Amino acid sequence: MMAFDVDLFVIGGGSGGVRAARMAAATGAKVALAEDSRLGGTCVIRGCVPKKLMVFASAFREMPTEARAYGWDIPDGSFDWPAFRAKLHAELDRLEAVYRRLLDGSGVRIYDARARLSDAHTVTLSSGETVSARHILVATGGRPERPDVPNAALGLVSDDIFTLQALPKSILIVGGGFIACEMACILAGLGVKVTQFYRGAQILRGFDDEARGLIAEAMKAQGIELHLGTNIVEMAEAAAMAEDGSTMGAGVESAVELLPHSGNRGCPVWVKATNGMECTFDSVLFATGRSPNTEGLGLDDLGVKLGRRGEIVVDSYSQTAVPSIYAIGDVTNRVNLTPVAIREGMAFVRTVFDGEPTEVDHDLIPSAVFTQPELGTVGLTEEAAREQEPIEVYCTSFRPMRTAFAGSEARVLMKLIVSQATRRVLGCHIVAPEAGEMIQLAAIAVKMGATKEDFDRTVAVHPTMAEELVTMRTPTRKA
């Protein structure tokens, strides 16, 4: 039998790769891992963690007004981005160090280098070193895309937001997915004038129509200028446009003064939209999708099959067309969520190192969109369920006690999709503050196959927003 340097070589130090490496090492396997950026990957360094901390920061903007309605004498304050940014990056450094300690403590050898597959069992590192492995796991994640627009390099992508030296006075966000909408709410909460273009008819495509409609209205109420059915046609440096004597000097609407750019990309940006609108923004942020990180890995040469978007094609056990090579996480473009990548990594270890073939369960995965208010969801949308079978819809929208008392018109939504035949709850959708926290608990019941009558038998916790999930007795509609 051929001898290998290691039993497992993991390419990628994100949440999925690190969990798989540690679990495999716990079985007694000899494990190595390569990461050419920072340990922690997208979630810890460039995604979930810094984003959620920014969500927390942005939510304080409304706190003084609400507190005064409750009798507290609290003046409006101002947001100090440099102070927050310094603390944010200190926290990311701390978390990265935790990941490194966990790997070291598990006996995983770490290579701070880029890795490429030379053959089905060999990895070549950017340092020139080669390592042979019985099994190779690709967990390289994904990266934000820039659209095919001239001068797109003038725009930021989501990775750039966390490293801005200063917040822009105004920003155009292009896109309508969860990253675009989350960033719009965050930046608006931090005092940035936000405009958002989305080429579709409504933001958050793929989520429940009623829920995303409520979020769109809430975003507009926050002052976000949302333009649907709109995209960028042209973009250029604003200063260059003015020097050329173009329409910039002829009364073009300007979102900012032409001051030195306060972000990471040169000067303010002039933009022309498909609706004829022309504006200048301090920054432009593209949130138009993500691509799997498969370029330069040598996968094509080995016979590893790639999909239309460059994703690694795997079976239900995360195995590629090359038996010794597996892949998990966003690089497979299955369900691009950190907890899913972790589950896939755990299933891989059970399959390969524990001898317990374990398929990954991608059914009924809860998720949250951290807009303001948040969207929590699990299961089928009303639209998808209606196409599948006859359903009942239980839905209520109301002004929650806390903010209503303070004079806010903000509304929340609680919605259950129920099978007429089996009475099972097929989907649950919540639009409310802390909806992510609520949907985690509701997802347990939905995953277990709870019926509407199971929800009805549960006594409400009063007074709460979530009590509406167990007090809705009459269907809003049937389909």
Side-chain angles (χ1 to χ4, degrees):
M1 181 180 293
M2 179 179 177
F4 297 99
D5 297 327
V6 296
D7 298 301
L8 173 65
F9 197 104
V10 180
I11 303 178
S15 298
V18 168
R19 177 63 64 89
R22 293 179 59 222
M23 283 191 64
T27 69
K30 189 175 183 181
V31 181
L33 179 147
E35 172 57 59
D36 68 340
S37 181
R38 299 182 64 180
L39 289 174
T42 296
C43 180
V44 174
I45 305 299
R46 299 173 293 277
C48 317
V49 172
K51 173 194 71 180
K52 192 63 181 292
L53 292 172
M54 288 182 70
V55 168
F56 292 146
S58 65
F60 283 103
R61 186 184 189 189
E62 301 300 323
M63 186 271 287
T65 300
E66 186 175 306
R68 287 194 293 270
Y70 278 87
W72 287 89
D73 183 15
I74 297 179
D76 289 336
S78 60
F79 179 67
D80 186 340
W81 169 256
F84 170 78
R85 180 182 179 276
K87 190 166 184 179
L88 172 67
H89 284 276
E91 176 64 5
L92 301 186
D93 291 344
R94 185 189 71 82
L95 292 173
E96 182 182 11
V98 168
Y99 269 61
R100 189 172 294 274
R101 285 197 302 272
L102 289 171
L103 288 169
D104 285 337
S106 299
V108 177
R109 181 170 181 181
I110 304 170
Y111 293 93
D112 295 302
R114 183 169 180 78
R116 187 180 190 280
L117 285 78
S118 303
D119 61 43
H121 291 282
T122 306
V123 173
T124 300
L125 302 169
S126 54
S127 61
E129 187 174 354
T130 60
V131 181
S132 63
R134 186 179 304 278
H135 304 284
I136 296 172
L137 178 66
V138 181
T140 48
R143 66 185 184 281
E145 295 177 345
R146 278 192 175 82
D148 185 17
V149 176
N151 296 317
L154 294 173
L156 308 169
V157 293
S158 57
D159 290 358
D160 300 319
I161 292 296
F162 311 113
T163 59
L164 291 173
Q165 296 301 310
L167 287 180
K169 292 182 178 179
S170 71
I171 192 166
L172 168 65
I173 298 177
V174 182
F178 73 92
I179 295 176
C181 294
E182 288 174 340
M183 286 299 174
C185 291
I186 288 169
L187 293 171
L190 298 181
V192 179
K193 178 176 171 56
V194 177
T195 302
Q196 185 174 353
F197 288 176
Y198 179 50
R199 63 186 181 182
Q202 183 58 281
I203 57 170
L204 297 172
R205 181 170 61 88
F207 291 91
D208 186 85
D209 280 356
E210 199 167 8
R212 62 194 186 128
L214 182 58
I215 290 173
E217 291 307 310
M219 290 172 64
K220 293 175 186 175
Q222 293 170 44
I224 296 168
E225 192 176 324
L226 181 59
H227 295 268
L228 300 173
T230 306
N231 207 345
I232 285 183
V233 176
E234 299 178 57
M235 60 188 298
E237 287 191 16
M241 292 297 295
E243 290 168 3
D244 290 343
S246 68
T247 54
M248 269 295 298
V252 174
E253 179 186 353
S254 178
V256 292
E257 298 176 13
L258 293 182
L259 298 173
H261 186 66
S262 58
N264 293 357
R265 293 283 189 277
C267 298
V269 182
W270 168 84
V271 169
K272 182 175 181 179
T274 52
N275 62 4
M277 174 181 172
E278 297 183 31
C279 289
T280 299
F281 300 93
D282 200 24
S283 294
V284 173
L285 169 65
F286 291 115
T288 50
R290 295 177 64 83
S291 296
N293 281 325
T294 52
E295 293 180 5
L297 291 177
L299 298 170
D300 285 333
D301 299 336
L302 301 181
V304 174
K305 186 177 179 181
L306 301 180
R308 183 176 60 86
R309 293 181 57 82
E311 73 275 14
I312 298 176
V313 177
V314 294
D315 65 14
S316 57
Y317 298 98
S318 296
Q319 189 174 38
T320 72
V322 178
S324 61
I325 301 174
Y326 292 73
I328 61 169
D330 291 7
V331 75
T332 67
N333 199 36
R334 288 179 285 182
V335 179
N336 297 338
L337 296 170
T338 297
V340 175
I342 292 171
R343 286 294 184 96
E344 290 169 355
M346 293 163 65
F348 158 77
V349 172
R350 291 194 186 105
T351 299
V352 174
F353 292 96
D354 289 334
E356 301 174 9
T358 304
E359 294 182 278
V360 181
D361 183 1
H362 289 119
D363 188 36
L364 294 174
I365 295 171
S367 62
V369 180
F370 295 105
T371 45
Q372 295 174 28
E374 296 175 7
L375 166 61
T377 181
V378 63
L380 296 177
T381 64
E382 178 180 346
E383 295 70 39
R386 192 189 304 131
E387 293 181 2
Q388 174 179 293
E389 61 179 289
I391 60 169
E392 292 180 350
V393 177
Y394 295 80
C395 184
T396 182
S397 179
F398 56 94
R399 295 168 65 205
M401 177 188 295
R402 173 172 169 166
T403 50
F405 182 83
S408 171
E409 295 298 321
R411 302 185 70 82
V412 300
L413 174 78
M414 303 286 162
K415 185 172 185 178
L416 296 176
I417 314 299
V418 178
S419 166
Q420 290 189 27
T422 67
R423 305 301 297 159
R424 282 188 61 174
V425 175
L426 303 176
C428 178
H429 310 280
I430 302 172
V431 177
E434 306 293 341
E437 303 290 346
M438 291 187 237
I439 203 65
Q440 178 69 84
L441 302 180
I444 299 171
V446 175
K447 183 72 172 177
M448 291 177 67
T451 64
K452 178 62 171 64
E453 286 66 35
D454 290 327
F455 274 65
D456 293 344
R457 280 192 292 270
T458 304
V459 176
V461 178
H462 181 75
T464 65
M465 291 181 288
E467 70 179 296
E468 298 292 336
L469 293 175
V470 300
T471 59
M472 294 184 287
R473 294 292 186 265
T474 306
T476 307
R477 53 189 170 271
K478 296 184 179 183

Short mmCIF file of all heavy atoms in Angstrom, two decimals, residues 334-389:
data_model
loop_
_atom_site.label_atom_id
_atom_site.label_comp_id
_atom_site.label_asym_id
_atom_site.label_seq_id
_atom_site.Cartn_x
_atom_site.Cartn_y
_atom_site.Cartn_z
N ARG A 334 -24.04 24.37 -2.86
CA ARG A 334 -25.28 23.67 -2.52
C ARG A 334 -26.15 24.59 -1.67
O ARG A 334 -27.05 25.25 -2.20
CB ARG A 334 -24.94 22.36 -1.80
CG ARG A 334 -24.35 21.31 -2.74
CD ARG A 334 -23.99 20.01 -2.03
NE ARG A 334 -22.76 20.13 -1.24
CZ ARG A 334 -22.22 19.11 -0.56
NH1 ARG A 334 -22.80 17.92 -0.57
NH2 ARG A 334 -21.09 19.30 0.11
N VAL A 335 -25.91 24.65 -0.39
CA VAL A 335 -26.59 25.62 0.48
C VAL A 335 -25.48 26.44 1.13
O VAL A 335 -24.74 25.94 1.97
CB VAL A 335 -27.45 24.92 1.55
CG1 VAL A 335 -28.11 25.96 2.44
CG2 VAL A 335 -28.50 24.03 0.89
N ASN A 336 -25.35 27.69 0.72
CA ASN A 336 -24.20 28.50 1.11
C ASN A 336 -24.42 29.19 2.45
O ASN A 336 -24.63 30.40 2.54
CB ASN A 336 -23.87 29.52 0.02
CG ASN A 336 -23.46 28.85 -1.28
OD1 ASN A 336 -23.02 27.70 -1.28
ND2 ASN A 336 -23.60 29.55 -2.39
N LEU A 337 -24.35 28.39 3.50
CA LEU A 337 -24.49 28.87 4.86
C LEU A 337 -23.41 28.22 5.72
O LEU A 337 -23.13 27.02 5.57
CB LEU A 337 -25.87 28.53 5.44
CG LEU A 337 -27.08 29.18 4.77
CD1 LEU A 337 -28.37 28.55 5.29
CD2 LEU A 337 -27.09 30.69 5.02
N THR A 338 -22.83 28.98 6.63
CA THR A 338 -21.75 28.46 7.47
C THR A 338 -22.13 27.20 8.24
O THR A 338 -21.37 26.22 8.22
CB THR A 338 -21.28 29.56 8.44
OG1 THR A 338 -20.75 30.65 7.68
CG2 THR A 338 -20.20 29.03 9.39
N PRO A 339 -23.28 27.15 8.92
CA PRO A 339 -23.61 25.93 9.65
C PRO A 339 -23.76 24.72 8.74
O PRO A 339 -23.53 23.58 9.16
CB PRO A 339 -24.95 26.28 10.33
CG PRO A 339 -24.97 27.77 10.39
CD PRO A 339 -24.28 28.21 9.15
N VAL A 340 -24.15 24.96 7.48
CA VAL A 340 -24.27 23.86 6.53
C VAL A 340 -22.88 23.33 6.17
O VAL A 340 -22.66 22.11 6.11
CB VAL A 340 -25.03 24.30 5.26
CG1 VAL A 340 -25.04 23.17 4.22
CG2 VAL A 340 -26.45 24.71 5.62
N ALA A 341 -21.92 24.22 5.94
CA ALA A 341 -20.55 23.79 5.65
C ALA A 341 -19.99 22.97 6.81
O ALA A 341 -19.30 21.96 6.60
CB ALA A 341 -19.67 25.01 5.39
N ILE A 342 -20.28 23.39 8.03
CA ILE A 342 -19.81 22.65 9.20
C ILE A 342 -20.44 21.26 9.24
O ILE A 342 -19.76 20.26 9.48
CB ILE A 342 -20.13 23.44 10.48
CG1 ILE A 342 -19.26 24.71 10.54
CG2 ILE A 342 -19.91 22.59 11.73
CD1 ILE A 342 -19.63 25.67 11.65
N ARG A 343 -21.75 21.18 8.99
CA ARG A 343 -22.42 19.88 8.96
C ARG A 343 -21.85 18.99 7.87
O ARG A 343 -21.69 17.77 8.04
CB ARG A 343 -23.93 20.07 8.73
CG ARG A 343 -24.68 20.61 9.94
CD ARG A 343 -24.67 19.59 11.08
NE ARG A 343 -25.46 20.03 12.21
CZ ARG A 343 -26.72 19.68 12.43
NH1 ARG A 343 -27.34 18.85 11.59
NH2 ARG A 343 -27.36 20.12 13.49
N GLU A 344 -21.56 19.58 6.71
CA GLU A 344 -20.98 18.80 5.62
C GLU A 344 -19.60 18.27 5.99
O GLU A 344 -19.25 17.13 5.66
CB GLU A 344 -20.91 19.67 4.35
CG GLU A 344 -22.28 19.96 3.74
CD GLU A 344 -22.25 21.01 2.65
OE1 GLU A 344 -21.18 21.60 2.40
OE2 GLU A 344 -23.31 21.26 2.05
N GLY A 345 -18.82 19.10 6.69
CA GLY A 345 -17.52 18.65 7.15
C GLY A 345 -17.61 17.50 8.14
O GLY A 345 -16.84 16.54 8.09
N MET A 346 -18.59 17.58 9.04
CA MET A 346 -18.79 16.52 10.02
C MET A 346 -19.24 15.23 9.34
O MET A 346 -18.78 14.13 9.69
CB MET A 346 -19.83 16.97 11.05
CG MET A 346 -19.35 18.12 11.93
SD MET A 346 -20.69 18.98 12.80
CE MET A 346 -21.29 17.68 13.88
N ALA A 347 -20.14 15.34 8.36
CA ALA A 347 -20.61 14.15 7.65
C ALA A 347 -19.47 13.52 6.85
O ALA A 347 -19.37 12.28 6.76
CB ALA A 347 -21.76 14.53 6.71
N PHE A 348 -18.60 14.33 6.28
CA PHE A 348 -17.44 13.82 5.55
C PHE A 348 -16.55 12.98 6.46
O PHE A 348 -16.11 11.88 6.10
CB PHE A 348 -16.65 15.00 4.96
CG PHE A 348 -15.22 14.68 4.66
CD1 PHE A 348 -14.87 13.95 3.54
CD2 PHE A 348 -14.20 15.12 5.50
CE1 PHE A 348 -13.54 13.64 3.26
CE2 PHE A 348 -12.87 14.83 5.24
CZ PHE A 348 -12.54 14.08 4.12
N VAL A 349 -16.27 13.48 7.66
CA VAL A 349 -15.40 12.75 8.58
C VAL A 349 -16.05 11.43 9.00
O VAL A 349 -15.39 10.39 9.05
CB VAL A 349 -15.06 13.62 9.81
CG1 VAL A 349 -14.32 12.79 10.86
CG2 VAL A 349 -14.21 14.81 9.37
N ARG A 350 -17.34 11.48 9.29
CA ARG A 350 -18.01 10.23 9.67
C ARG A 350 -17.95 9.21 8.53
O ARG A 350 -17.77 8.01 8.76
CB ARG A 350 -19.48 10.52 10.02
CG ARG A 350 -19.64 11.31 11.31
CD ARG A 350 -21.08 11.27 11.79
NE ARG A 350 -21.26 12.14 12.95
CZ ARG A 350 -21.87 13.32 12.92
NH1 ARG A 350 -22.35 13.78 11.77
NH2 ARG A 350 -22.00 14.06 14.01
N THR A 351 -18.10 9.69 7.31
CA THR A 351 -18.09 8.80 6.15
C THR A 351 -16.72 8.21 5.91
O THR A 351 -16.57 6.99 5.72
CB THR A 351 -18.56 9.56 4.90
OG1 THR A 351 -19.90 10.03 5.10
CG2 THR A 351 -18.50 8.69 3.66
N VAL A 352 -15.69 9.06 5.90
CA VAL A 352 -14.37 8.64 5.47
C VAL A 352 -13.52 8.07 6.61
O VAL A 352 -12.80 7.09 6.42
CB VAL A 352 -13.64 9.83 4.78
CG1 VAL A 352 -12.19 9.47 4.44
CG2 VAL A 352 -14.40 10.25 3.52
N PHE A 353 -13.60 8.66 7.80
CA PHE A 353 -12.70 8.27 8.88
C PHE A 353 -13.37 7.43 9.97
O PHE A 353 -12.69 6.71 10.68
CB PHE A 353 -12.05 9.52 9.48
CG PHE A 353 -11.09 10.19 8.54
CD1 PHE A 353 -11.50 11.26 7.76
CD2 PHE A 353 -9.79 9.73 8.41
CE1 PHE A 353 -10.62 11.86 6.87
CE2 PHE A 353 -8.91 10.32 7.53
CZ PHE A 353 -9.32 11.39 6.75
N ASP A 354 -14.69 7.54 10.11
CA ASP A 354 -15.38 6.73 11.11
C ASP A 354 -16.03 5.49 10.51
O ASP A 354 -16.56 4.66 11.24
CB ASP A 354 -16.46 7.57 11.82
CG ASP A 354 -15.86 8.62 12.74
OD1 ASP A 354 -14.74 8.41 13.22
OD2 ASP A 354 -16.53 9.65 12.97
N GLY A 355 -16.02 5.42 9.18
CA GLY A 355 -16.62 4.27 8.54
C GLY A 355 -18.13 4.22 8.64
O GLY A 355 -18.74 3.14 8.57
N GLU A 356 -18.75 5.39 8.82
CA GLU A 356 -20.21 5.48 8.92
C GLU A 356 -20.72 6.37 7.79
O GLU A 356 -20.82 7.59 7.96
CB GLU A 356 -20.62 6.07 10.26
CG GLU A 356 -20.13 5.30 11.48
CD GLU A 356 -20.45 6.01 12.78
OE1 GLU A 356 -21.18 7.03 12.74
OE2 GLU A 356 -19.94 5.58 13.83
N PRO A 357 -21.00 5.80 6.62
CA PRO A 357 -21.47 6.63 5.49
C PRO A 357 -22.63 7.52 5.91
O PRO A 357 -23.68 7.04 6.35
CB PRO A 357 -21.90 5.58 4.45
CG PRO A 357 -21.05 4.38 4.76
CD PRO A 357 -20.94 4.37 6.27
N THR A 358 -22.42 8.83 5.81
CA THR A 358 -23.41 9.80 6.29
C THR A 358 -23.70 10.82 5.20
O THR A 358 -22.82 11.59 4.80
CB THR A 358 -22.88 10.53 7.55
OG1 THR A 358 -22.54 9.56 8.55
CG2 THR A 358 -23.91 11.50 8.09
N GLU A 359 -24.93 10.82 4.73
CA GLU A 359 -25.34 11.82 3.76
C GLU A 359 -25.67 13.12 4.49
O GLU A 359 -26.11 13.11 5.63
CB GLU A 359 -26.57 11.34 2.98
CG GLU A 359 -26.30 10.14 2.10
CD GLU A 359 -27.53 9.74 1.31
OE1 GLU A 359 -28.39 9.04 1.90
OE2 GLU A 359 -27.62 10.11 0.14
N VAL A 360 -25.48 14.21 3.80
CA VAL A 360 -25.78 15.52 4.38
C VAL A 360 -27.26 15.81 4.20
O VAL A 360 -27.82 15.66 3.12
CB VAL A 360 -24.93 16.63 3.73
CG1 VAL A 360 -25.25 17.97 4.37
CG2 VAL A 360 -23.47 16.31 3.84
N ASP A 361 -27.91 16.21 5.27
CA ASP A 361 -29.34 16.54 5.24
C ASP A 361 -29.50 18.03 4.93
O ASP A 361 -29.23 18.89 5.78
CB ASP A 361 -29.97 16.20 6.59
CG ASP A 361 -31.47 16.45 6.61
OD1 ASP A 361 -32.03 16.87 5.58
OD2 ASP A 361 -32.09 16.24 7.68
N HIS A 362 -29.93 18.34 3.73
CA HIS A 362 -30.12 19.72 3.32
C HIS A 362 -31.60 20.13 3.35
O HIS A 362 -31.98 21.16 2.77
CB HIS A 362 -29.57 19.95 1.91
CG HIS A 362 -28.08 19.92 1.83
ND1 HIS A 362 -27.38 19.01 1.07
CD2 HIS A 362 -27.13 20.67 2.44
CE1 HIS A 362 -26.08 19.21 1.19
NE2 HIS A 362 -25.90 20.22 2.02
N ASP A 363 -32.42 19.36 4.03
CA ASP A 363 -33.85 19.65 4.06
C ASP A 363 -34.20 20.49 5.29
O ASP A 363 -33.69 20.26 6.38
CB ASP A 363 -34.63 18.32 4.10
CG ASP A 363 -36.12 18.54 3.94
OD1 ASP A 363 -36.52 19.44 3.18
OD2 ASP A 363 -36.90 17.79 4.57
N LEU A 364 -35.10 21.45 5.09
CA LEU A 364 -35.62 22.28 6.18
C LEU A 364 -34.51 22.97 6.98
O LEU A 364 -34.43 22.86 8.21
CB LEU A 364 -36.51 21.46 7.11
CG LEU A 364 -37.82 20.94 6.48
CD1 LEU A 364 -38.55 20.01 7.45
CD2 LEU A 364 -38.71 22.09 6.06
N ILE A 365 -33.66 23.68 6.27
CA ILE A 365 -32.57 24.43 6.90
C ILE A 365 -33.08 25.84 7.23
O ILE A 365 -33.50 26.57 6.33
CB ILE A 365 -31.34 24.51 5.98
CG1 ILE A 365 -30.77 23.11 5.76
CG2 ILE A 365 -30.29 25.46 6.56
CD1 ILE A 365 -29.69 23.06 4.70
N PRO A 366 -33.06 26.23 8.50
CA PRO A 366 -33.49 27.60 8.83
C PRO A 366 -32.43 28.62 8.44
O PRO A 366 -31.24 28.30 8.37
CB PRO A 366 -33.66 27.55 10.35
CG PRO A 366 -32.71 26.49 10.81
CD PRO A 366 -32.66 25.47 9.69
N SER A 367 -32.86 29.83 8.18
CA SER A 367 -31.91 30.90 7.87
C SER A 367 -32.49 32.23 8.30
O SER A 367 -33.69 32.35 8.57
CB SER A 367 -31.58 30.93 6.37
OG SER A 367 -32.73 31.22 5.61
N ALA A 368 -31.63 33.22 8.36
CA ALA A 368 -32.05 34.57 8.76
C ALA A 368 -31.40 35.60 7.86
O ALA A 368 -30.26 35.42 7.42
CB ALA A 368 -31.70 34.84 10.22
N VAL A 369 -32.12 36.65 7.58
CA VAL A 369 -31.59 37.81 6.87
C VAL A 369 -31.58 38.95 7.88
O VAL A 369 -32.62 39.32 8.42
CB VAL A 369 -32.46 38.17 5.65
CG1 VAL A 369 -31.88 39.39 4.93
CG2 VAL A 369 -32.57 36.99 4.70
N PHE A 370 -30.39 39.51 8.14
CA PHE A 370 -30.26 40.49 9.21
C PHE A 370 -30.47 41.91 8.71
O PHE A 370 -29.62 42.80 8.88
CB PHE A 370 -28.91 40.31 9.91
CG PHE A 370 -28.82 38.99 10.62
CD1 PHE A 370 -28.05 37.96 10.09
CD2 PHE A 370 -29.52 38.77 11.78
CE1 PHE A 370 -27.99 36.73 10.73
CE2 PHE A 370 -29.46 37.54 12.43
CZ PHE A 370 -28.69 36.52 11.90
N THR A 371 -31.62 42.09 8.08
CA THR A 371 -32.10 43.43 7.76
C THR A 371 -32.70 44.01 9.04
O THR A 371 -32.67 43.38 10.10
CB THR A 371 -33.16 43.36 6.65
OG1 THR A 371 -34.08 42.30 6.94
CG2 THR A 371 -32.53 43.10 5.29
N GLN A 372 -33.28 45.19 8.93
CA GLN A 372 -33.95 45.79 10.09
C GLN A 372 -35.36 46.19 9.68
O GLN A 372 -35.50 47.20 8.99
CB GLN A 372 -33.13 46.98 10.61
CG GLN A 372 -31.78 46.54 11.14
CD GLN A 372 -30.89 47.70 11.53
OE1 GLN A 372 -31.36 48.77 11.90
NE2 GLN A 372 -29.59 47.51 11.47
N PRO A 373 -36.37 45.38 10.00
CA PRO A 373 -36.35 44.21 10.88
C PRO A 373 -35.76 42.99 10.18
O PRO A 373 -35.61 42.97 8.96
CB PRO A 373 -37.83 43.99 11.21
CG PRO A 373 -38.54 44.48 9.97
CD PRO A 373 -37.75 45.67 9.52
N GLU A 374 -35.44 41.98 10.99
CA GLU A 374 -34.87 40.75 10.47
C GLU A 374 -35.94 39.86 9.83
O GLU A 374 -37.13 39.99 10.12
CB GLU A 374 -34.20 39.96 11.60
CG GLU A 374 -33.02 40.66 12.23
CD GLU A 374 -32.45 39.91 13.42
OE1 GLU A 374 -32.89 38.77 13.70
OE2 GLU A 374 -31.56 40.47 14.08
N LEU A 375 -35.48 38.96 8.98
CA LEU A 375 -36.33 37.92 8.41
C LEU A 375 -35.79 36.57 8.84
O LEU A 375 -34.63 36.26 8.60
CB LEU A 375 -36.34 38.02 6.87
CG LEU A 375 -36.92 36.83 6.10
CD1 LEU A 375 -38.38 36.59 6.46
CD2 LEU A 375 -36.77 37.03 4.60
N GLY A 376 -36.63 35.78 9.49
CA GLY A 376 -36.29 34.41 9.84
C GLY A 376 -37.18 33.47 9.07
O GLY A 376 -38.40 33.70 8.97
N THR A 377 -36.63 32.42 8.49
CA THR A 377 -37.42 31.55 7.64
C THR A 377 -36.96 30.11 7.72
O THR A 377 -35.76 29.84 7.88
CB THR A 377 -37.38 32.05 6.18
OG1 THR A 377 -38.17 31.20 5.35
CG2 THR A 377 -35.96 32.05 5.65
N VAL A 378 -37.91 29.19 7.64
CA VAL A 378 -37.60 27.77 7.53
C VAL A 378 -38.70 27.12 6.72
O VAL A 378 -39.88 27.46 6.86
CB VAL A 378 -37.47 27.09 8.91
CG1 VAL A 378 -38.77 27.13 9.69
CG2 VAL A 378 -36.97 25.66 8.76
N GLY A 379 -38.33 26.20 5.84
CA GLY A 379 -39.33 25.48 5.05
C GLY A 379 -39.76 26.23 3.81
O GLY A 379 -39.08 27.13 3.32
N LEU A 380 -40.93 25.87 3.31
CA LEU A 380 -41.41 26.38 2.03
C LEU A 380 -42.03 27.77 2.15
O LEU A 380 -42.67 28.09 3.16
CB LEU A 380 -42.47 25.43 1.46
CG LEU A 380 -42.01 24.01 1.10
CD1 LEU A 380 -43.21 23.18 0.62
CD2 LEU A 380 -40.91 24.03 0.05
N THR A 381 -41.83 28.57 1.12
CA THR A 381 -42.56 29.83 1.01
C THR A 381 -44.00 29.52 0.63
O THR A 381 -44.33 28.40 0.18
CB THR A 381 -41.95 30.73 -0.07
OG1 THR A 381 -42.10 30.09 -1.35
CG2 THR A 381 -40.47 30.98 0.19
N GLU A 382 -44.86 30.50 0.78
CA GLU A 382 -46.26 30.30 0.36
C GLU A 382 -46.32 29.96 -1.12
O GLU A 382 -47.08 29.07 -1.53
CB GLU A 382 -47.07 31.56 0.65
CG GLU A 382 -48.52 31.44 0.20
CD GLU A 382 -49.34 32.69 0.48
OE1 GLU A 382 -48.89 33.56 1.25
OE2 GLU A 382 -50.46 32.79 -0.08
N GLU A 383 -45.50 30.63 -1.92
CA GLU A 383 -45.54 30.43 -3.36
C GLU A 383 -45.11 29.01 -3.75
O GLU A 383 -45.75 28.35 -4.57
CB GLU A 383 -44.64 31.46 -4.06
CG GLU A 383 -45.10 32.90 -3.90
CD GLU A 383 -44.94 33.45 -2.49
OE1 GLU A 383 -43.91 33.13 -1.84
OE2 GLU A 383 -45.85 34.17 -2.01
N ALA A 384 -44.03 28.52 -3.12
CA ALA A 384 -43.54 27.17 -3.43
C ALA A 384 -44.50 26.11 -2.93
O ALA A 384 -44.75 25.10 -3.61
CB ALA A 384 -42.16 26.97 -2.82
N ALA A 385 -45.05 26.31 -1.74
CA ALA A 385 -45.96 25.33 -1.16
C ALA A 385 -47.24 25.22 -1.99
O ALA A 385 -47.79 24.13 -2.19
CB ALA A 385 -46.29 25.71 0.28
N ARG A 386 -47.72 26.36 -2.48
CA ARG A 386 -48.95 26.39 -3.26
C ARG A 386 -48.81 25.56 -4.54
O ARG A 386 -49.77 24.94 -4.99
CB ARG A 386 -49.30 27.84 -3.61
CG ARG A 386 -50.70 28.03 -4.18
CD ARG A 386 -50.89 29.43 -4.71
NE ARG A 386 -50.61 30.44 -3.70
CZ ARG A 386 -49.82 31.49 -3.88
NH1 ARG A 386 -49.20 31.66 -5.04
NH2 ARG A 386 -49.65 32.37 -2.92
N GLU A 387 -47.62 25.54 -5.11
CA GLU A 387 -47.38 24.76 -6.32
C GLU A 387 -47.27 23.27 -6.01
O GLU A 387 -47.47 22.43 -6.89
CB GLU A 387 -46.09 25.22 -7.00
CG GLU A 387 -46.17 26.63 -7.56
CD GLU A 387 -44.87 27.04 -8.25
OE1 GLU A 387 -43.95 26.20 -8.30
OE2 GLU A 387 -44.80 28.18 -8.74
N GLN A 388 -46.99 22.94 -4.76
CA GLN A 388 -46.76 21.55 -4.38
C GLN A 388 -48.05 20.83 -3.99
O GLN A 388 -48.26 19.66 -4.34
CB GLN A 388 -45.77 21.52 -3.21
CG GLN A 388 -45.52 20.16 -2.59
CD GLN A 388 -44.52 20.23 -1.45
OE1 GLN A 388 -43.35 20.51 -1.68
NE2 GLN A 388 -44.96 19.96 -0.23
N GLU A 389 -48.93 21.53 -3.24
CA GLU A 389 -50.13 20.88 -2.72
C GLU A 389 -51.09 21.93 -2.17
O GLU A 389 -50.70 23.09 -1.98
CB GLU A 389 -49.75 19.90 -1.60
CG GLU A 389 -49.06 20.57 -0.41
CD GLU A 389 -48.72 19.59 0.69
OE1 GLU A 389 -49.66 19.12 1.36
OE2 GLU A 389 -47.51 19.29 0.85
#
